[in-house]
């Protein structure tokens, strides 16, 4: 929140007005200047007093003018007191009236300046007259220099602390906004992964079944309906690919969801679905699946599901073997298909992010994932998962 302009004007003009008011009071008590010496004693105050109007923009210049005036007054005190000082008994201070403001502003705005410290030290020495100390000189010097310095330092540190706290609050607010945006982006990526893993798998099965019906149907009407169903499924996969691309607008790893209370589908059912559309799939399971954590079982299911979906897309006539080995400390999945004699009808219908999504899923549970073509023309997907992954589930 910004301050009103009248407050800025008040704080800008108040030092100059204060010094001018003190000079007016002195004139009212002792009378206005009349002689040459009285005028020179007044003029020595003017440079630093006028410089108070720029105390925010040029605090060092103001302090230097005060120091120069103090030097001139000290020299005058030992050569010609009536030039700038006047009666030594009634004027114990040999520094200009603007000195307290100059010292306070300097310590508030430029506390780390070496020139500021040099000018302030000079003013303290002159105001307290360290070479000939007296009670009046020391107390007056402390009032003119030491107390304003401490007050200015306090105000400057307080302002710095307020700025730091404000910056920290604004930074925390920005971080909260970034975290919220990251959470939304991660949710989009998670939804994209789920959509790719689940919907693509089911729709591709539907398209393959429609294609098989088109070939085996006994009449033209059924074949025409099957062809329309197959084309609609392919179009749905294309639209799904575009939607997944939108949801993946911001790249990042999927947040691993907590395992549902519902038991996940068995791998045997997944393989049976692929066999039902004419694929040649063999499932080999070694070990006890119950020894693995639920999150690992879910990840294994997604790996096999996506691997079989890719085989249906790119090599539907290839012989495929799914080998799952459950060990005491790890689970290894291998989905290997042989060479294919023809390209699947769904080869260009995917989003192109299936293997990337699998790699992210596997790495989220601290596993290793590889996918590469084989020398015989086939393809192999290999994933090694830990048997147990700590979760926050109760």
């Amino acid at each position: 929140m910004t301050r009103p302009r009248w407050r800025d004007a008040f704080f800008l003009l108040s030092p100059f007005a204060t010094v001018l008011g003190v000079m007016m009071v002195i004139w009212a008590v002792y009378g206005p200047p009349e002689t040459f010496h009285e005028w020179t004693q007044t003029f020595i105050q003017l440079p630093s007093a006028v410089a108070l109007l720029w105390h925010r923009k040029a605090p060092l210049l103001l302090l230097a003018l005060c120091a120069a005036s103090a030097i001139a007054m000290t020299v005058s005190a030992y050569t010609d007191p009536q030039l700038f000082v006047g009666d030594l008994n009634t004027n114990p201070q040999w520094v200009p009236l603007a000195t307290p403001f100059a010292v306070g502003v300097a310590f508030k705005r430029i506390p780390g300046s070496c020139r500021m410290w040099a000018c302030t030290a000079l003013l303290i020495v002159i105001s307290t007259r360290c070479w000939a100390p007296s009670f009046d000189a020391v107390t007056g010097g402390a009032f003119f220099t030491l107390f304003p310095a401490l007050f200015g330092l306090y105000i400057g540190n307080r302002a710095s602390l307020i700025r730091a706290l404000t910056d920290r609050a604004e930074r925390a607010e920005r971080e909260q906004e970034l975290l919220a945006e990251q959470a939304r982006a991660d949710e989009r990526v998670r939804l994209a992964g789920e959509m790719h893993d689940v919907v693509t798998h089911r729709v591709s099965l539907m398209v393959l079944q429609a294609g098989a019906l088109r070939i085996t149907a006994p009449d033209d009407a059924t074949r025409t309906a099957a062809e329309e169903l197959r084309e609609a499924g392919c179009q749905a996969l294309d639209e799904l690919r575009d939607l997944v691309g939108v949801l993946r607008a911001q790249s990042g790893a999927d947040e691993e969801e907590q395992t549902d209370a519902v038991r996940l589908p068995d791998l045997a059912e997944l393989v049976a679905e692929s066999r039902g559309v004419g694929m040649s799939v063999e499932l080999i399971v070694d070990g006890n699946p119950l020894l693995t954590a639920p999150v690992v079982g879910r990840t294994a299911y997604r790996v096999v599901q996506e691997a079989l979906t890719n085989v249906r897309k790119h090599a539907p006539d290839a012989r495929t073997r799914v080998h799952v080995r459950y060990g005491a400390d790890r689970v290894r999945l291998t989905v290997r298909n042989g060479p294919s004699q023809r390209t699947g009808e769904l080869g260009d219908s995917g989003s192109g992010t299936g293997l990337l999504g699998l790699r992210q899923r596997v790495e989220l549970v601290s596993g290793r994932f590889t996918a590469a073509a084989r020398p015989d023309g086939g393809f192999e997907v290999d994933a090694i998962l830990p048997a147990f992954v700590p979760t926050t589930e109760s």
Side-chain angles (χ1 to χ4, degrees), residues 336-365:
R336 178 185 303 172
N337 64 272
S340 175
Q341 301 300 324
R342 64 184 179 90
T343 303
E345 297 176 344
L346 304 176
D348 298 328
S349 63
S351 63
T353 58
L355 293 179
L356 176 61
L358 287 185
R359 183 181 302 278
Q360 292 172 349
R361 281 182 176 274
V362 171
E363 290 177 351
L364 280 174
V365 295

Side-chain angles (χ1 to χ4, degrees), residues 44-53 62 65-66 69 96-99:
I44 196 65
Q45 304 285 340
L46 291 181
S48 56
V50 174
L52 285 172
L53 296 174
L62 172 61
L65 288 175
C66 289
S69 299
L97 296 174
T99 299

